[in-house]
Amino acid sequence: MGAGAAAAALALCLVGGLIGFAVGQPSPTEAGIAQMREANAKRDVQQIIELTEMARGTADQLSPILLAIKQDSDAGRTPEASQVHQWQQTMRQLTEQFDDPPSGTTATNVARGGLKSAVEQGGIAVDSVALAVTSPAPVRKNQLALAARQGAQASVAWSIAAAQLDQINIDAGRGHQHVYLDAGDAEGAFTPDGAAEGADG
């Protein structure tokens, strides 16, 4: 092969390599989209961490209230007005946590919305107890029973949201996170799946 032919072949190889490199490189638009997706994924993981921590704190305060409502109704016992007033204050604080939620993925928004709905239902149950406290004795038992039913529905709603919260933690690589209420058995409520905390992440 002559020197000219060799030089031409080398030039073709260089050009082919450059074309292949250029073709393999993402365009500025593709690179920008990839960076945006990576940023969104990191943001969502942080939201999941914060939502899970908030849910744990909320469950710690909500569980004893719903359990007390159930036990009082079962026993035909009317709680003290001062106790109910304290419950109402707690429920307002728990509900306010969900004001102005950040924008997240659909899955995270569903978990957050489910937890919020459960807390709001719990607040209705407490308000029903407050109404019973000031009602005549003949109707008080039925009102307390209604409050207990509302509390049970709050437990069911929370359990569904807790299952969603568990799933988004798994999807985010954090493993199982079981944030269920300890408020007595409620018919139809989801229960933890038995997997260890943090497993399968």
Side-chain angles (χ1 to χ4, degrees):
M1 180 183 295
L10 179 60
L12 285 173
C13 287
L14 289 173
V15 170
L18 289 172
I19 291 173
F21 177 78
V23 170
Q25 289 294 103
S27 69
T29 300
E30 291 172 335
I33 292 172
Q35 290 176 351
M36 184 174 63
R37 285 176 176 168
E38 182 179 358
N40 287 342
K42 289 180 179 178
R43 181 200 64 186
D44 194 53
V45 170
Q46 185 60 36
Q47 284 191 19
I48 290 169
I49 292 171
E50 293 171 357
L51 180 60
T52 303
E53 291 174 351
M54 185 176 75
R56 290 193 190 283
T58 301
D60 288 343
Q61 297 182 76
L62 181 59
S63 290
I65 293 175
L66 296 183
L67 183 59
I69 291 173
K70 179 181 185 301
Q71 292 175 338
D72 285 343
S73 175
D74 290 345
R77 180 175 58 237
T78 304
E80 294 293 330
S82 58
Q83 177 65 78
V84 178
H85 179 66
Q86 184 177 1
W87 289 347
Q88 288 179 308
Q89 288 182 318
T90 299
M91 294 309 303
R92 278 193 291 270
Q93 293 169 358
L94 295 181
T95 302
E96 287 170 359
Q97 295 179 112
F98 294 94
D99 290 346
D100 300 319
S103 176
T105 64
T106 299
T108 302
N109 291 342
V110 168
R112 188 187 305 276
L115 295 172
K116 178 183 179 182
S117 293
V119 171
E120 289 175 340
Q121 182 65 40
I124 293 172
V126 170
D127 288 342
S128 292
V129 175
L131 182 63
V133 168
T134 59
S135 295
V139 299
R140 195 174 299 159
K141 180 178 179 180
N142 289 338
Q143 289 177 329
L144 290 173
L146 176 60
R149 286 171 53 197
Q150 292 167 332
Q153 287 303 305
S155 293
V156 172
W158 181 279
S159 74
I160 296 170
Q164 174 71 4
L165 185 65
D166 188 25
Q167 186 61 54
I168 62 175
N169 272 283
I170 295 170
D171 293 343
R174 302 188 67 240
H176 284 274
Q177 301 293 325
H178 299 138
V179 190
Y180 290 83
L181 298 179
D182 182 16
D185 295 333
E187 185 177 354
F190 288 21
T191 56
D193 50 28
E197 290 285 302
D200 299 328

